[in-house]
């Protein structure tokens, strides 16, 4: 074959991999969309069902418990049923939860629908990075894995935008929109569209070769490796995969047990990066930014605009990670992110020390309002370009094949539990302790995240998934990529 014909062939493979990845990352879009769509609806839900502040918060956060459960089981189900069927289950859960939440008639059924939606988000949060890592060639894996985060950020942004458009059209979220149904209910109905798109795409994409080899469907696996990833010697690759999967039968939680406080040391690394990703307080911004800015004296419309701008920054900065993750490596990017987040959070904490008033009538003197704004957005810039995507990329790729499904599920579930804790406690703690202390805590976590990466996180850049087993023996821990 001539060089140019080879190049064209290679380009086609790259295009196919990207197509497949986009399909898998639509799960990320739903994750972003469904977790933040409740923002625009929460006040109306509160007044419609006459909920106390605590239960209003609970109605928001309870979905995150569903996410934790979904993430916990998705890995194991994906190993049993295959990646595609699990994606279809996710799509079905998104669908019924969007319709059910929209039609919710009482608090108990609202909570059930929110939990079911959460299960779908949890499934999508595990299955997309696993699938992407399994189908993408090593040299593009980081960039392709970051597509999931890009999809999450776009999902968050579109949810905010759609909420505000519906609210605008009805002249208020609690007002009737079409067919005498209130606008806040339509906010949830909109989720039906991406849920269906996800289901259709899940039907169209190929099954993961690693799953197929694990189920003795070697020929099918070789075909997909040849056609999708452009593998030159697919049969040999199948053999390699088989070698690494050899002992993979009935993997369960006991397989991630190990000498380090009862767990495999790499699983601890995954758990800590997952928890730290939430403990820096990102969702105090994405679930509560409008309330936050109003609480320090911004007008409602200023607060709303600020939130939308932050949503855009979040999307745009994710491209930074896509460009750099495979070039400068995961560890270096995470450390740069920790420093940036720390600076942003400290600036915001300093600004919040100037809070005047209490309860609902808190304000900030002008200069400090600007400082808080700069600090919070700097934090989002740093998070979006580093910890946001890189944590998902690393969870998808850092575990040896044999335990990937289970370990990824456990770590992602911890990410959701940490998210639940912060989302539930943030409103109460910022009232009782004050925002300065809460942001001080987030800054402390950003500082801890730097040292954690420095001393504990291995570099996984450019390694084939089959070689991740070596991380276990400590052979490649920790190296800097030059
Ligand atoms: C986090 C989410 C967060 C989002 C913001 C993701 O990586 O896991 O909790 O809402 O980033 O873009």
């Amino acid at each position: 074959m001539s060089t140019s014909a080879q190049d064209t062939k290679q380009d086609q493979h790259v295009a196919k991999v990207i197509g497949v990845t986009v399909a898998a990352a639509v799960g990320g879009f739903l994750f972003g969309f469904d977790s933040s769509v409740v923002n625009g609806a929460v006040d109306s839900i509160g007044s419609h069902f006459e909920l106390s502040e605590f239960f209003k918060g609970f109605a928001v956060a309870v979905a995150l418990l569903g996410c934790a459960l979904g993430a916990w089981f998705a890995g194991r189900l994906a190993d049993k049923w295959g990646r595609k069927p699990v994606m279809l289950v996710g799509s079905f859960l998104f669908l019924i939860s969007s319709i059910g939440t929209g039609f919710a008639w009482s608090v108990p059924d609202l909570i059930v629908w929110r939990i079911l939606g959460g299960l779908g988000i949890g499934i999508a949060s595990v299955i997309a990075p696993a699938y992407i890592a399994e189908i993408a060639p090593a040299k593009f894996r980081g960039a392709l894995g970051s597509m999931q985060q890009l999809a999450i950020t776009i999902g968050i942004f579109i949810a905010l935008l759609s909420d505000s458009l519906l609210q605008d059209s009805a002249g208020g979220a609690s007002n009737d929109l079409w067919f005498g149904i209130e606008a806040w209910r339509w906010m949830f109905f909109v989720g039906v569209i991406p849920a269906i798109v996800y289901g259709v795409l899940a039907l169209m994409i190929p099954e993961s070769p690693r799953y197929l080899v694990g189920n003795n469907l070697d020929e099918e696996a070789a075909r997909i490796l040849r056609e999708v990833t452009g593998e030159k010697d697919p049969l040999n690759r199948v053999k390699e995969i088989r070698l690494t999967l050899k002992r993979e039968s009935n993997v369960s939680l006991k397989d991630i047990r190990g000498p380090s406080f009862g767990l495999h040391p790499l699983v601890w690394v995954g758990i800590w990066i997952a928890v730290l990703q939430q403990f820096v307080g990102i969702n105090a911004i994405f679930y509560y930014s409008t309330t936050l800015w109003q609480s320090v004296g911004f007008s409602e419309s200023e607060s709303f605009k600020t939130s939308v701008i932050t949503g855009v920054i979040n999307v745009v900065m994710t491209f930074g990670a896509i460009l750099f993750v495979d070039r400068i490596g995961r560890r270096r990017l995470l450390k740069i992110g920790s420093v940036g987040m720390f600076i942003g959070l400290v600036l915001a904490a300093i600004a919040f020390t100037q809070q005047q008033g209490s309860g609902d009538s808190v304000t900030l003197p002008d200069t400090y309002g600007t400082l808080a704004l700069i600090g919070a957005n700097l934090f989002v810039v740093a998070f979006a370009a580093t910890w946001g995507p890189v944590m998902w990329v690393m969870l998808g790729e850092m575990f040896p094949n044999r335990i990937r499904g289970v370990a990824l599920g456990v770590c992602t579930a911890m990410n959701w539990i940490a998210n639940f804790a912060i989302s539930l406690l943030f409103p109460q703690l910022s009232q009782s302790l004050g925002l300065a202390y809460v942001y001080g805590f987030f800054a402390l976590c950003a500082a801890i995240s730097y040292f954690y990466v420095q001393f504990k996180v291995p570099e996984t850049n450019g390694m084939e998934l089959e070689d991740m087993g070596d991380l276990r023996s400590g052979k490649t821990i920790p190296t800097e990529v030059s």
Side-chain angles (χ1 to χ4, degrees):
M1 209 187 293
S2 73
T3 323
S4 76
Q6 260 174 3
D7 282 355
T8 321
K9 196 115 204 284
Q10 193 61 36
D11 284 352
Q12 278 172 0
H13 288 310
V14 171
K16 272 191 194 170
V17 174
I18 292 178
V20 163
T21 306
V22 168
V26 174
F29 178 94
L30 279 158
F31 163 171
F33 186 95
D34 276 39
S35 59
S36 54
V37 72
V38 68
N39 268 2
V42 67
D43 284 338
S44 306
I45 290 180
S47 48
H48 185 89
F49 295 108
E50 297 173 352
L51 300 179
S52 67
E53 284 301 310
F54 176 80
F55 277 106
K56 219 161 80 175
F58 187 71
V60 173
V62 75
L64 303 170
L65 286 185
C67 297
L69 271 181
W72 186 272
F73 289 111
R76 263 163 292 166
L77 290 182
D79 285 342
K80 276 209 183 92
W81 300 346
R83 291 20 171 184
K84 282 178 58 151
V86 176
M87 287 187 200
L88 286 173
V89 171
S91 145
F92 179 68
L93 287 166
F94 281 125
L95 188 71
I96 53 170
S97 128
S98 301
I99 299 174
T101 318
F103 281 124
W105 64 91
S106 66
V107 178
D109 84 286
L110 175 79
I111 287 176
V112 169
W113 299 122
R114 297 274 304 141
I115 293 178
L116 287 180
L119 284 173
I121 303 175
I123 285 178
S125 69
V126 169
I127 211 77
Y131 181 84
I132 292 168
E134 290 178 345
I135 207 114
K139 65 176 172 170
F140 302 123
R141 204 175 49 228
L144 292 175
S146 306
M147 298 279 279
Q148 137 119 341
Q149 176 71 13
L150 187 62
I152 296 173
T153 59
I154 294 174
I156 294 176
F157 170 63
I158 296 293
L160 285 173
L161 202 64
S162 145
D163 281 5
S164 88
L165 292 177
L166 292 167
Q167 199 171 14
D168 261 8
S169 320
S174 298
N175 294 346
D176 287 353
L177 190 54
W178 303 298
F179 308 111
I181 298 174
E182 300 103 305
W184 69 265
R185 295 185 183 271
W186 284 102
M187 293 177 188
F188 292 106
F189 291 146
V190 170
V192 165
I193 303 168
I196 291 176
V197 171
Y198 184 47
V200 171
L201 289 174
L203 284 174
M204 288 163 58
I205 60 180
E207 184 50 88
S208 148
R210 283 181 178 79
Y211 169 78
L212 293 170
V213 174
N215 286 273
N216 299 319
L217 297 166
D218 291 15
E219 276 177 28
E220 178 68 0
R223 187 183 63 77
I224 291 170
L225 283 166
R226 190 170 48 241
E227 288 179 9
V228 181
T229 64
E231 200 63 59
K232 295 203 182 65
D233 189 355
L235 286 175
N236 193 36
R237 191 100 180 90
V238 164
K239 248 195 244 155
E240 276 175 32
I241 296 175
R242 174 159 305 289
L243 271 180
T244 65
L245 291 177
K246 216 167 193 172
R247 295 183 311 268
E248 185 173 335
S249 57
N250 297 322
V251 179
S252 71
L253 279 181
K254 70 178 187 313
D255 293 278
I256 60 169
R257 290 210 191 121
S260 157
F261 296 101
L263 283 181
H264 190 302
L266 264 186
V267 177
W268 277 118
V269 173
I271 288 177
W272 278 112
I273 59 173
V275 168
L276 284 167
Q277 199 227 28
Q278 291 300 323
F279 274 21
V280 295
I282 191 65
N283 290 318
I285 303 271
F286 283 112
Y287 300 167
Y288 294 107
S289 62
T290 318
T291 325
L292 172 77
W293 297 124
Q294 268 175 272
S295 81
V296 293
F298 287 39
S299 76
E300 193 182 343
S301 81
E302 278 170 348
S303 303
F304 189 80
K305 277 193 204 119
T306 310
S307 304
V308 174
I309 291 170
T310 308
V312 175
I313 292 177
N314 194 28
V315 175
V316 173
M317 291 313 295
T318 307
F319 285 100
I322 295 177
L323 281 179
F324 290 116
V325 68
D326 290 318
R327 291 191 198 162
I328 70 171
R330 283 60 162 152
R331 272 168 53 81
R332 197 171 289 174
L333 213 50
L334 287 175
K335 285 196 290 179
I336 294 171
S338 299
V339 173
M341 294 192 302
F342 178 75
I343 296 172
L345 289 164
V346 166
L347 291 182
I350 292 173
F352 291 136
T353 58
Q354 303 302 311
Q355 230 178 355
Q356 287 162 4
S358 61
D360 287 341
S361 57
V362 177
T363 55
L364 276 186
D366 266 1
T367 13
Y368 288 100
T370 314
L371 186 64
L373 208 56
I374 293 174
N377 282 293
L378 179 63
F379 162 57
V380 172
V381 165
F383 177 91
T386 64
W387 276 80
V390 176
M391 187 221 59
W392 293 112
V393 168
M394 288 206 70
L395 288 192
E397 69 183 9
M398 67 189 280
F399 301 112
N401 275 339
R402 178 174 154 69
I403 62 165
R404 178 170 313 109
V406 179
L408 183 58
V410 169
C411 297
T412 311
M414 292 309 291
N415 180 267
W416 288 114
I417 290 170
N419 189 353
F420 174 76
I422 298 287
S423 304
L424 194 70
L425 295 178
F426 178 72
Q428 283 162 20
L429 291 183
S430 39
Q431 286 244 327
S432 54
L433 294 177
L435 282 167
Y437 279 106
V438 177
Y439 271 77
F441 169 77
F442 292 153
L444 177 69
C445 292
I448 294 174
S449 74
Y450 179 92
F451 292 106
Y452 191 76
V453 175
Q454 173 69 19
F455 294 113
K456 295 283 183 195
V457 177
E459 183 56 78
T460 45
N461 196 9
M463 290 174 70
E464 287 296 343
L465 292 191
E466 282 63 46
D467 300 330
M468 294 297 170
D470 291 349
L471 287 176
R472 241 184 317 188
S473 59
K475 277 185 212 157
T476 43
I477 296 180
T479 50
E480 201 68 80
V481 175
S482 54

